[in-house]
């Protein structure tokens, strides 16, 4: 079971909450902020959710998620609402409407055409951020590798390590491969893996080039080799 935390993200001047357990966003929090700004045309959650276009999108989204996760249709929810409730001190909590990330993007763009540009910028910037983070983590990894290989072998060692990382994450290799991938999830995986390997070297768990290559081979087999069914 995943431990849930709530992260605060920003789209322009609006803060949005995303929970780590399933990646869902609190759409009602964004809506309340939008409606509280003087001069903004008021938007209704009910109007958005009752829209035929929204329902068509939700159906397509759930079908796609069902195919990806191999779950049955009823087990997947694109919207999860939590009603407001009265606390012991008499105060009330604010109701939350947690939306699947893709539905949330559609909702945020529906709020306002001008705001739509901000949402698209938010999505684009997140993808670019992970690509840049992966580049920075690669430099961090290089600094760590320098501690376990001779200086004259560094160019060759980093070439082999870079190839191995591509195979582990993308199951392929070519020059500048990471720049050709627009998949935020893959770029995030690459960034996390580079950080992890650098940490293992810094902490002494990997102390030789041979150990590092062996570790990378194990990761590749884990990610891509077919699992043999055992009885």
């Amino acid at each position: 079971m995943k431990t849930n935390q709530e992260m605060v993200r920003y789209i322009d001047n609006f803060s949005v909450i995303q929970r780590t357990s399933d990646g869902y966003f609190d759409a009602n929090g964004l809506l309340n902020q939008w409606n509280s700004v003087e001069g903004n045309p008021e938007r209704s959650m009910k109007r958005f959710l009752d829209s035929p276009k929204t329902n068509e999108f939700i159906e397509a989204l759930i079908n796609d998620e069902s195919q990806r996760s191999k779950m049955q249709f009823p087990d997947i929810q694109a919207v999860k609402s939590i009603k407001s409730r009265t606390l012991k001190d008499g105060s009330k909590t604010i109701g939350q409407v947690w939306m699947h990330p893709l539905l949330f993007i559609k909702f945020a763009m529906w709020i306002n055409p001008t705001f739509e540009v901000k949402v698209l910028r938010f999505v684009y910037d997140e993808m670019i951020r992970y690509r840049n983070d992966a580049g920075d983590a690669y430099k961090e990894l290089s600094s760590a590798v320098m501690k376990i290989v001779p200086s004259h072998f560094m160019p060759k060692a980093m070439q082999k390590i870079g190839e191995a990382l591509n195979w582990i994450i993308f199951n392929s290799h070519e020059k500048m491969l990471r720049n050709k991938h627009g998949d935020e999830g893959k770029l995030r995986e690459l960034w996390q893996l580079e950080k992890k390997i650098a940490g293992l070297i810094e902490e002494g768990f990997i102390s030789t080039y041979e150990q590092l290559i062996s570790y990378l081979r194990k990761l590749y087999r884990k990610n891509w080799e077919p699992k043999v069914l055992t009885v």
Side-chain angles (χ1 to χ4, degrees), residues 56 59-60 79 82 125 127 133 136 139 191 196 212 224:
E56 288 175 5
E59 183 177 350
V79 182
I82 299 177
D125 286 348
M127 182 182 70
D133 284 348
D136 291 340
K139 295 176 184 177
W191 167 65
K196 179 181 179 180
L212 174 54
W224 299 106

Side-chain angles (χ1 to χ4, degrees), residues 2-3 9 22 33 44 52 66 69 81 91 94 103 107 123 141 145 159 161 183 194 202 214 217 226:
K2 294 183 179 179
T3 300
R9 315 284 289 275
D22 55 11
Q33 291 178 74
S44 163
S66 297
S69 63
S81 299
S91 61
I94 299 175
L103 179 61
F107 168 73
V123 175
L141 175 60
V145 172
Q159 177 188 341
I161 292 168
D183 186 334
E194 290 171 345
E202 294 289 350
S214 177
R217 285 173 178 158

